[in-house]
Amino acid sequence: MINVNGLVFEYPGQRALDDVAFTIRANSVTALVGPNGAGKTTLMRCVCGLEKPLSGAVTVDGIDVITEPRLSHERLGYLSDFFGLYDALSVRQVLMHAASANGSRRNLADAAATTAARLGLSDRLEQRVGELSRGLRQRVAIGQAIIHEPKVLILDEPASGLDPEARHDLAELFRTLQKDGMTLLVSSHILAELGAYATDMLVIRGGRIIEQRTLKDAAPLTREIVVELTDTDDAVNAVFDAFDNVSNIRRDGRRIRCALNGDDDAQHRLLRALIEADIAVVSFATLERDLQQSYLESMQAP
């Protein structure tokens, strides 16, 4: 859905993006993460056709963003970190204006009503935008970005300044948009919340992509297993030794951690072997890595 190749962007005296290349699959939610000044916002603006790179190529849904920015905007929705709204206008008027500006092919009033319903704003259509809470204003801003039904939605720090309840609602909204077939690229420093809905992670540092990783929708080949026993039964060693696909066994009293190479069936066979050997298992689970752990691992890599 999004293809970036050899992207270079420079500010006076500074190279902000250096040979950036990646592909984002359709109907995914990709978390764009990195330290301050890494180039996240610049990259997003280049993908949206709002900045012209020094060199490289960007395509969205097969459209060259650099040579055909206006055409690409029909497929793109963008919410910047510092978005603007017309506070004196009603929610309905703001959405209708956005529909007109973005070239929506639907009736403007219908587009505003449908988008408001999608965002839980139907009861706010006649209210002035300037009277809304921060969370509701954020929803109106997202409404401006999606009212023309784009295939790709790009959001820069969308949860900034929101309270915990509003951030939770925002995560639910992103999951709904993905379920409806939209592809999302989201930049945020709130990694725990990105992990609640992101399917992929794109890590940028110093203007370069240092890693792209799938977080969900794909079972890992190797998984970390944690087993806790009622006591320090040494008979468990023979069970682990019988499995060629178990490695890196670490024992700390009653708790054992190991790496298991295999799928769910392999995990089931290991658990069954422990039970059949009359090992007193208290718990048996995979150790899930969250987005923050994945990000820190990427940052620590040379």
Side-chain angles (χ1 to χ4, degrees), residues 71 76 80 90 95 108 154 157 162-163 168 187 203 234 276:
L71 182 60
L76 279 165
S80 68
S90 68
L95 292 178
L108 298 185
I154 296 178
E157 296 289 344
L162 298 183
D163 60 39
H168 172 77
S187 166
V203 185
D234 290 334
E276 290 177 348

Side-chain angles (χ1 to χ4, degrees), residues 29 31 39 56 69 82 105-106 201 212 221 236 243 251 287 298:
V29 181
F82 301 102
R105 294 181 174 85
R106 294 184 292 170
M201 180 178 72
Q212 184 170 14
L221 182 62
V236 71
F243 281 78
R251 187 160 184 171
L287 182 64
S298 300

Side-chain angles (χ1 to χ4, degrees), residues 26-29 118 146 149-153 174 176-184:
N27 199 30
S28 62
V29 181
R118 196 177 193 182
I146 67 172
E149 299 182 315
K151 293 186 177 182
V152 174
L153 178 60
F174 293 161
T176 298
L177 293 176
Q178 182 205 12
K179 184 178 178 181
D180 291 344
M182 198 173 291
T183 302
L184 284 77

Side-chain angles (χ1 to χ4, degrees), residues 47-81:
V47 172
C48 291
L50 300 176
E51 299 283 1
K52 187 173 182 179
L54 184 66
S55 61
V58 181
T59 61
V60 174
D61 196 26
I63 298 173
D64 190 319
V65 171
I66 298 172
T67 61
E68 298 184 280
R70 289 187 178 275
L71 182 60
S72 70
H73 291 167
E74 295 179 5
R75 316 290 177 91
L76 279 165
Y78 175 61
L79 177 65
S80 68
D81 186 8

Side-chain angles (χ1 to χ4, degrees), residues 17-288:
L17 299 175
D18 188 8
D19 195 27
V20 170
F22 60 88
T23 298
I24 293 178
R25 58 193 173 97
N27 199 30
S28 62
V29 181
T30 298
L32 177 61
V33 296
N36 290 333
K40 298 187 297 294
T41 295
T42 301
L43 176 57
M44 287 182 152
R45 290 182 60 83
C46 285
V47 172
C48 291
L50 300 176
E51 299 283 1
K52 187 173 182 179
L54 184 66
S55 61
V58 181
T59 61
V60 174
D61 196 26
I63 298 173
D64 190 319
V65 171
I66 298 172
T67 61
E68 298 184 280
R70 289 187 178 275
L71 182 60
S72 70
H73 291 167
E74 295 179 5
R75 316 290 177 91
L76 279 165
Y78 175 61
L79 177 65
S80 68
D81 186 8
F82 301 102
F83 59 84
L85 295 172
Y86 296 103
D87 287 348
L89 300 182
S90 68
V91 172
R92 185 189 303 278
Q93 290 170 324
V94 167
L95 292 178
M96 288 177 63
H97 176 269
S100 177
N102 287 315
S104 174
R105 294 181 174 85
R106 294 184 292 170
N107 174 275
L108 298 185
D110 291 344
T114 301
T115 301
R118 196 177 193 182
L119 298 173
L121 293 169
S122 295
D123 60 341
R124 306 281 184 167
L125 279 170
E126 308 310 326
Q127 189 172 356
R128 284 188 178 184
V129 171
E131 300 171 354
L132 300 177
S133 67
R134 178 70 169 84
L136 291 175
R137 288 172 61 85
Q138 190 84 326
R139 284 181 173 257
V140 174
I142 293 173
Q144 291 185 135
I146 67 172
I147 196 164
H148 58 301
E149 299 182 315
K151 293 186 177 182
V152 174
L153 178 60
I154 296 178
L155 307 108
D156 192 357
E157 296 289 344
S160 177
L162 298 183
D163 60 39
E165 184 178 357
R167 292 200 300 268
H168 172 77
D169 291 344
L170 197 63
E172 290 293 325
L173 171 61
F174 293 161
R175 281 191 284 264
T176 298
L177 293 176
Q178 182 205 12
K179 184 178 178 181
D180 291 344
M182 198 173 291
T183 302
L184 284 77
L185 175 61
V186 186
S187 166
S188 178
H189 287 100
I190 309 173
L191 299 184
E193 286 159 14
L194 277 174
Y197 53 81
T199 62
D200 298 83
M201 180 178 72
L202 192 63
V203 185
I204 185 170
R205 181 176 64 191
R208 286 180 169 268
I209 299 298
I210 62 171
E211 184 177 11
Q212 184 170 14
R213 181 184 299 179
T214 298
L215 302 173
K216 299 176 182 176
D217 300 333
L221 182 62
T222 301
R223 58 188 68 186
E224 186 91 355
I225 301 294
V226 181
V227 183
E228 188 169 352
L229 311 177
T230 59
D231 55 40
T232 56
D233 189 347
D234 290 334
V236 71
N237 296 331
V239 175
F240 282 107
D241 290 342
F243 281 78
D244 293 336
N245 58 343
V246 173
S247 61
N248 195 22
I249 302 171
R250 291 147 288 164
R251 187 160 184 171
D252 182 13
R254 297 185 297 113
R255 177 170 293 187
I256 302 170
R257 293 173 60 173
C258 67
L260 174 66
N261 186 276
D263 56 12
D264 289 345
D265 187 57
Q267 183 173 326
H268 165 69
R269 289 197 303 271
L270 178 59
L271 175 58
R272 184 174 62 186
L274 290 168
I275 294 172
E276 290 177 348
D278 201 27
I279 306 296
V281 177
V282 174
S283 64
F284 182 98
T286 55
L287 182 64
E288 300 290 343

Side-chain angles (χ1 to χ4, degrees), residues 9-17 37:
F9 186 92
E10 292 185 347
Y11 295 109
Q14 177 190 1
R15 175 160 290 195
L17 299 175

